[in-house]
Amino acid sequence: MSVETASKVVDSYTVAAKECEDAELELVHHTTGKTYDVVDYADPILEAKFKGHGTGSSVRVDLAPIETDDGDDLWMVTRLLPGGPPRTGLAR
């Protein structure tokens, strides 16, 4: 008997200059171009690791929405993964 497992898709983003004054930074999704305003991190160690990525850097992260009273679309980085997005055309 074979067991099917769902493949996990890790999303890749580019760190952008923040435009929202409440956000720590903005991330732009590589595929959709959607912008995510990041306002928090899951823990201080994750925040310290993430601070090393400057504007224009590619990152792979998991994001979680943060509920607000005024309905803002704000996000928390819950996990930072090594590496950047896969590049097409580099396979042998």
Side-chain angles (χ1 to χ4, degrees), residues 18-54:
K18 70 177 186 173
E19 294 179 14
C20 172
E21 63 187 47
D22 295 335
E24 289 254 337
L25 60 96
E26 289 186 354
L27 296 176
V28 179
H29 193 274
H30 280 184
T31 306
T32 65
K34 181 178 177 183
T35 301
Y36 295 84
D37 294 324
V38 174
V39 296
D40 201 7
Y41 301 88
D43 61 59
I45 295 171
L46 179 62
E47 181 178 5
K49 287 181 181 178
F50 201 87
K51 295 287 182 173
H53 297 281

